[in-house]
Structure formats: C-alpha cells, structure tokens
Amino acid sequence: MRKIDRKRLLREMVFFRRFEDRSFEAYMERKVGGFLHLYSGQEAVATGVLEMVQADRGVGFDYAITGYRDHIHAIKAGAPAREVMAELYGKETGSSRGRGGSMHIFDPSVRFMGGYALVGQPFPLAAGLALACKHQKEGRIAVCFLGDGANNQGTFHETMNMASLWKLPVLFVCENNCYAIGTVIQRSTAVIDQYKRLEAYNIPASQHPGQDIEVVMEAAQSAIAHVRSGAGPYFLEFLTYRYRGHSMSDAGAYRSKEEVAEWMQRDPIQILAKRLIEAGELTEEEFKAMEQAVQSEIDNDIIQFAEESPEPKVADLAKYVLEDNPDPRWIGPLQGQGG
C-alpha cells in the first residue's frame, strides 16, 4: 500500500467542507434547485474509506454507490468537482447533464454508480455490482454507503441475506449520524448499534468512531482486505454527525444546542489539523493558507464553471433516457470496457 499523505487528506476534507458550504450559499441564492442534502461534519468517513479502497488499486477501479447525500462520495471516487457543482446548478456540463440534480450524481467512468433519492435503493444495486465483480474475477469490489435510517427498509434485509448467502465482494459502510431525517435513532430502531444487526445474516461487522479519519482508515483497511480475499461481505458502522439539517428545509429544531456543540468539538477537519500541527507536519499559517487556497479554487474555478456553463436545451429533454440514445461520455464504461 502506498504511503498516505495526511496533509493531502486534510486539504481534501477542507475542500469538501467548503464545497458544501458554497452549495448551501448557491441554493440560498436560488442558483441550485430541487433538494440539497449536505455532508458537512461527516467528511472523514467517505474520505477515509475511499482513500483505503483506492490505496492499492487506484481511482476508478472499484465500484461505489450511495444515497442522496452524495456530492462528496462522488468527488472522492473521482468525479470532477466542476461537473458535480454544475449538476447542482442543473447545467448541461453536469455529471448527469443537468438532468439529475443533487441527489443523482453519476459517473461510471470512475465506477461511481450514483447517488439515489429512494431510501434503501442502493442496497440491491450494490449487491448486483458485487455479483458482477465476482463473475468477472478481476479483483474488484463494490462499496455501498448507507445511512442508519435506511437500515429499516426491506431492501436492507433482503440484500444482506443474499450478499451473505452468495459471499458477494461488497463492503457496506453505515454512516450513523444519529438521525433518520428528524427522528433520533432511539425512537425508530429497536437495535441502536447497527453493526449488531448483521449477526442475523452471518456477516462480520464492527463499529468505530467516524470523526477521526485515521481511525476510519484503519478500520476500512481491515474490512477491505476481508472483502477482497473472497470471504464475502463486511459491514462497517461509523458514528458520525451532520452539522447542518437533513436538507435545506430542515432547521434542525429537534436537536439541542448542547448536542450540536458537543459534536462540533469532534470536527474531523480540526482533529486532523491539530494532530498535524502538534506533530510538526503543519503550521497554523500553512493551515490558514490551505483554507484560503481552497476557497479561492472553489469560488474562482468550481463555481465559475457552473455559473458559466450552458443550460440544457428544451429540445434535448428526452436525450440520454433510453438505451438507444446514451450519453456518449458513458458508452465505454457502460459497455464494460475494462470491466
């Protein structure tokens, strides 16, 4: 496994936080339509897990799929940040040609097989991707990110049963942020510790803190090795927290200020930044410069690209819908070139 550059990981998380901040601002400016679900506070999970997935095989080798809080998973999986932001803006240059919006980021060129609006929808799709990986015998795995609220869906239980029975090479990553929209987990779920539910399906599982990226990576490395070995699926549960509401319409009134403040003390960006500063690998000035450089990149490149990109043409409304008229960017990946 290649050596991990911790300063690069810190910059990535800073970039992801600012990307979501600017998405929020663009929505408030009415430049982003539809729904918007932000990932602020949970950056260590997607960044850490996908970093380890990519560590020995590179970007775009394995499959990744998730729900509707999908911007950061897509970018870390290899989707261009410009195209993700353009998709939020509904522009023709977006990752789904402006036709999907925030909840439907999709880029098969890097095997990011989508964000999905329906709760629990990614589970059976992840199993299908893993089954394909098993038949192709090229060493690929599927990584499925899920929220604790989705685990009460029937698709969760059906998928876990089949994944275990067929020993599918799939890694399930539960981002337990304590709430299913506005319902705290204690009011909706009989088994609070999600990893314990997998005992019923004979799937090995473990629970870990999700705010420290190095803890995330250590847990992910072991789980990925298990899945790649052909031993079947693995279920990782990370305890994390979203700093913003469930969506833009959620004021978060169901959470106490004390609870939010407590979790803010466990900000994944600050945890890693402090560790690097104390280790002498980073100075306070360098960290501030990093934040400023990221803000400049997003404002002067990512946002500018989205704002200057063309709107989809009304005459092209039905394009890229049916199999006989695919998006030319996807023809190679969808026909299975290189798997």
Side-chain angles (χ1 to χ4, degrees):
M1 185 184 73
R2 60 183 169 82
K3 184 178 179 181
I4 303 297
D5 183 347
R6 298 198 297 177
K7 287 175 69 173
R8 173 180 58 79
L9 291 179
L10 176 62
R11 191 188 191 283
E12 286 184 9
M13 290 198 293
V14 170
F15 181 92
F16 297 152
R17 179 71 59 83
R18 185 55 183 157
F19 185 97
E20 296 292 67
D21 288 346
R22 287 298 280 119
S23 299
F24 174 91
E25 292 165 9
Y27 187 95
M28 298 303 291
E29 294 166 355
R30 298 183 181 274
K31 296 176 180 178
V32 171
F35 291 93
L36 187 69
H37 303 82
L38 302 175
Y39 196 63
S40 305
Q42 300 182 210
E43 294 91 350
V45 180
T47 308
V49 170
L50 290 175
E51 179 70 23
M52 300 313 295
V53 169
Q54 298 163 356
D56 56 350
R57 305 298 177 99
V59 174
F61 182 81
D62 298 295
Y63 290 99
I65 190 169
T66 187
Y68 44 74
R69 205 178 303 277
D70 58 350
H71 313 155
I72 304 313
H73 303 79
I75 298 171
K76 181 60 180 175
R82 283 173 136 208
E83 294 181 8
V84 175
M85 184 62 77
E87 186 61 33
L88 304 189
Y89 272 65
K91 297 298 184 72
E92 182 69 24
T93 56
S95 57
S96 296
R97 299 289 191 182
R99 291 155 171 78
S102 169
M103 297 192 287
H104 302 97
I105 308 299
F106 186 73
D107 191 342
S109 70
V110 291
R111 293 190 173 85
F112 180 75
M113 305 311 289
Y116 293 85
L118 295 181
V119 177
Q121 186 180 19
F123 298 136
L125 297 177
L129 292 169
L131 182 61
C133 292
K134 186 172 184 177
H135 286 309
Q136 290 168 346
K137 298 180 180 179
E138 295 177 340
R140 290 188 175 86
I141 67 173
V143 183
C144 179
F145 291 89
L146 52 125
D148 54 284
N151 295 348
N152 291 330
Q153 297 291 102
T155 51
F156 170 84
H157 301 280
E158 294 167 3
T159 300
M160 298 305 143
N161 182 61
M162 296 309 298
S164 178
L165 188 64
W166 291 348
K167 292 190 179 300
L168 298 181
V170 54
L171 173 62
F172 296 104
V173 182
C174 176
E175 303 189 61
N176 185 347
N177 63 19
C178 308
Y179 291 90
I181 306 181
T183 303
V184 69
I185 190 170
Q186 287 83 355
R187 296 186 61 189
S188 65
T189 306
V191 179
I192 305 303
D193 294 321
Q194 297 298 285
Y195 77 103
K196 294 180 180 179
R197 306 175 79 171
L198 280 297
E199 184 177 353
Y201 303 105
N202 198 28
I203 294 178
S206 56
Q207 182 190 78
H208 309 272
Q211 301 303 88
D212 187 332
I213 192 170
E214 294 191 286
V215 171
V216 171
M217 290 192 297
E218 183 178 359
Q221 183 177 23
S222 176
I224 292 164
H226 170 92
V227 176
R228 286 205 196 279
S229 74
Y234 197 98
F235 184 96
L236 280 173
E237 178 186 8
F238 290 108
L239 303 179
T240 184
Y241 200 78
R242 54 172 166 76
Y243 290 159
R244 295 189 182 274
H246 168 74
S247 65
M248 293 298 292
S249 62
D250 176 14
Y254 48 85
R255 305 192 296 190
S256 70
K257 294 180 180 179
E258 292 75 16
E259 176 184 300
V260 175
E262 179 184 350
W263 278 96
M264 290 293 288
Q265 294 300 312
R266 288 180 262 176
D267 186 325
I269 294 173
Q270 296 304 321
I271 287 174
L272 184 57
K274 180 180 179 182
R275 183 172 297 150
L276 295 182
I277 291 170
E278 291 177 349
E281 299 178 32
L282 183 75
T283 66
E284 293 277 4
E285 292 72 22
E286 288 173 333
F287 182 46
K288 291 178 182 178
M290 178 188 292
E291 292 180 309
Q292 292 170 355
V294 164
Q295 181 168 334
S296 176
E297 178 184 354
I298 290 179
D299 288 344
N300 299 322
D301 180 32
I302 308 299
I303 292 293
Q304 183 175 345
F305 175 79
E307 294 188 346
E308 294 179 353
S309 292
E311 300 277 352
K313 298 178 181 178
V314 175
D316 293 339
L317 183 62
K319 287 186 71 173
Y320 318 131
V321 175
L322 301 179
E323 185 179 7
D324 61 355
N325 189 20
D327 186 329
R329 298 177 301 177
W330 300 347
I331 291 175
L334 290 179
Q335 287 181 341
Q337 293 182 8

